[in-house]
Structure formats: structure tokens, C-alpha cells
């Protein structure tokens, strides 16, 4: 596709369940980022991929959060044993990874609601 | 905290007026970017200004950067109702690849 695609767009789950969020970046973009945004807040960095490796996982809030990227393309963010405080919009972005002066292209996000 | 700060938090203006949003930061930066977000979902890149640039234009947008004051401003001229959105600044510093984001300015342009 022409843009970054995220699925599902909305996810409602019960506390304690596991969820998997998917991001399909723009073709050819080697850098991929996951962010989290709570209502009315700025973006909270979670993890960054360069190709299939994750040089920076510093933003993952706990060991319940994990992410992987395969084939240098699609990435999945998994949250195990979800908690109510995990409710937020999860945003994925990709870029050409040409250096520090790069702009990010964002998907439309996944709205996660943990009941 | 390294988080950028934006002001005002919210801004309400009439169509045709200019809107100015400010972003301040605390470290030396490589570049600073402005993004727009509609309805709390995906963000759209507006403009990037490098640390050695002072002003940049893109259509009705004008961005300035003052590295001595560690601040940037985004000016939207002749605003339209369709400009209603949240605007975020984000900057990169050092070798760190992750952008540091401000909390955003919520702009409402009233017809």
C-alpha cells in the first residue's frame, strides 16, 4: 500500500488477555517505530527497529510488552496480560532511515481499550 | 525530563486569523520537526528545520528556530477551519534515533 497500515484499528479486550497489534510499513522503509499515546497526551516512545533488529527497546514499559519485526517489513507489538493502564492509541511509524534528518510516516493507530 | 514543551496548550481563533504555536526544548538538537494530528489518530509530517537553519516556509506554514533560546515557533497564516487539529513538535538530539515529543497544541479554527 501507499501508506503505513495498522490493524486492528480498534481493539477491546478484557484485563488479563493478550493482544497483538500489527504494523505494515511503507515498502522500502527500513526504520520502524512504535509509540503509545494516552488521551490528550504526547507520544511515548516504545521501540525502534532498524531492519529486523531493535537497537532501542528502552521505551517498553514492562516485560509484558514485546515486539518483533520479520523480513524487514511487518512488525507486531504484543502485550501480555493486559492491564487497564495499557489502554491507549498505539501508533506505528516508518521512515527511510537515512539519518537523523528523517521524517516519519505514521499509520492511523490502534485504539486499545482494556476493560 | 527531556520532553519538549509546547505553548499554548490550546488555541482558539477565527478563520482568517494567524495561529502561532511555540515549542521549547532543553538540549542541543539535530533538527526539529512539526507534525499535525487530526482526531487523536495518525500524525502527518508538516515541516523539518535543521539546527543550522533559522526559518523555513511551506505554503501557509512558517517555522522559525532559535537555538540560543532553544525554541521554535510554528505560524499558520490565514487559518482555515480545516486547520483544526493538534500540532506537535518533535526533535532529535545527538546520536539518539528516537524523537522527543512535545505535548502538543490543540488548535480550533472557528468558521
Amino acid at each position: 500500500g501507499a501508506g503505513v497500515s495498522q490493524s486492528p484499528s480498534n481493539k477491546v479486550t478484557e484485563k488479563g488477555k493478550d493482544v497483538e497489534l500489527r504494523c505494515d510499513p511503507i515498502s522500502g522503509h527500513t526504520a520502524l517505530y512504535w509509540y503509545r499515546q494516552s488521551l490528550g497526551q504526547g507520544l511515548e516512545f516504545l521501540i525502534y527497529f532498524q531492519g529486523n533488529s531493535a537497537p532501542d527497546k528502552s521505551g517498553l514499559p514492562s516485560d509484558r510488552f514485546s515486539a518483533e519485526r520479520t523480513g524487514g517489513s511487518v512488525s507486531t507489538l504484543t502485550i501480555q496480560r493486559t492491564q487497564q493502564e495499557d489502554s491507549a492509541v498505539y501508533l506505528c511509524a516508518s521512515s527511510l532511515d537515512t539519518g537523523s534528518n528523517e521524517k516519519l510516516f505514521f499509520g492511523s493507530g490502534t485504539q486499545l481499550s482494556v476493560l | 525530563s527531556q520532553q519538549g514543551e509546547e505553548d499554548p496548550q490550546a488555541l482558539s481563533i477565527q478563520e482568517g486569523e494567524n495561529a502561532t504555536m511555540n515549542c521549547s526544548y532543553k538540549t542541543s538538537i539535530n533538527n526539529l520537526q512539526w507534525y499535525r494530528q487530526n482526531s487523536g489518530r495518525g500524525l502527518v509530517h508538516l515541516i523539518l528545520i535543521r539546527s543550522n537553519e533559522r526559518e523555513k516556509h511551506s505554503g501557509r506554514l512558517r517555522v522559525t528556530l532559535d537555538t540560543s533560546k532553544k525554541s521554535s515557533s510554528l505560524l499558520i497564516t490565514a487559518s482555515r477551519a480545516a486547520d483544526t487539529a493538534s500540532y506537535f513538535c518533535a526533535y532529535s538530539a545527538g546520536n539518539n534515533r528516537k524523537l522527543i515529543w512535545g505535548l502538543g497544541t490543540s488548535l480550533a479554527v472557528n468558521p
Side-chain angles (χ1 to χ4, degrees):
Chain A
V4 178
S5 177
Q6 289 189 247
S7 61
S9 56
N10 290 282
K11 177 70 177 178
V12 180
T13 190
E14 293 179 350
K15 177 181 171 181
K17 301 278 190 184
D18 298 351
V19 296
E20 196 171 273
L21 312 180
R22 176 188 168 106
C23 174
D24 200 342
I26 293 173
S27 178
H29 280 195
T30 54
L32 186 148
Y33 301 78
W34 281 99
Y35 288 91
R36 178 168 74 173
Q37 186 179 32
S38 300
L39 188 63
Q41 299 296 308
L43 274 69
E44 176 188 1
F45 169 82
L46 297 178
I47 189 169
Y48 153 63
F49 285 93
Q50 191 169 12
N52 290 338
S53 65
D56 192 345
K57 303 179 183 180
S58 62
L60 294 177
S62 74
D63 58 8
R64 296 187 294 105
F65 288 71
S66 63
E68 65 174 16
R69 188 180 185 194
T70 55
S73 182
V74 172
S75 175
T76 54
L77 175 69
T78 302
I79 309 173
Q80 295 178 308
R81 304 180 303 282
T82 52
Q83 303 295 311
Q84 288 182 332
E85 61 262 29
D86 299 334
S87 296
V89 175
Y90 289 81
L91 292 163
C92 174
S94 69
S95 72
L96 281 170
D97 193 20
T98 55
S100 61
N101 289 324
E102 62 189 42
K103 65 181 185 182
L104 303 186
F105 294 81
F106 280 84
S108 296
T110 294
Q111 172 74 65
L112 175 65
S113 300
V114 182
L115 304 179
Chain B
S1 165
Q2 278 194 302
Q3 195 165 44
E5 296 179 8
E6 292 183 61
D7 76 273
Q9 286 187 316
L11 182 60
S12 181
I13 60 174
Q14 296 299 122
E15 239 180 349
E17 294 180 338
N18 296 340
T20 300
M21 289 159 267
N22 303 295
C23 172
S24 60
Y25 54 91
K26 296 176 181 169
T27 67
S28 296
I29 62 172
N30 300 318
N31 65 66
L32 189 142
Q33 306 181 42
W34 286 89
Y35 286 80
R36 166 195 167 123
Q37 184 178 39
N38 287 79
S39 305
R41 299 306 283 260
L43 285 81
V44 175
H45 179 268
L46 295 176
I47 199 163
L48 180 152
I49 187 164
R50 292 179 171 79
S51 59
N52 61 353
E53 296 177 311
R54 292 297 166 257
E55 187 170 312
K56 210 160 180 183
H57 296 255
S58 177
R60 294 183 295 112
L61 305 181
R62 172 179 167 245
V63 168
T64 61
L65 181 65
D66 187 335
T67 52
S68 66
K69 294 181 180 177
K70 291 186 167 57
S71 68
S72 173
S73 67
L74 170 67
L75 168 68
I76 303 174
T77 60
S79 64
R80 305 167 182 167
D83 294 329
T84 295
S86 291
Y87 293 82
F88 292 87
C89 68
Y91 60 90
S92 69
N95 294 322
N96 201 328
R97 292 301 303 277
K98 64 186 182 189
L99 292 175
I100 299 167
W101 293 81
L103 294 177
T105 293
S106 177
L107 173 66
V109 181
N110 304 304

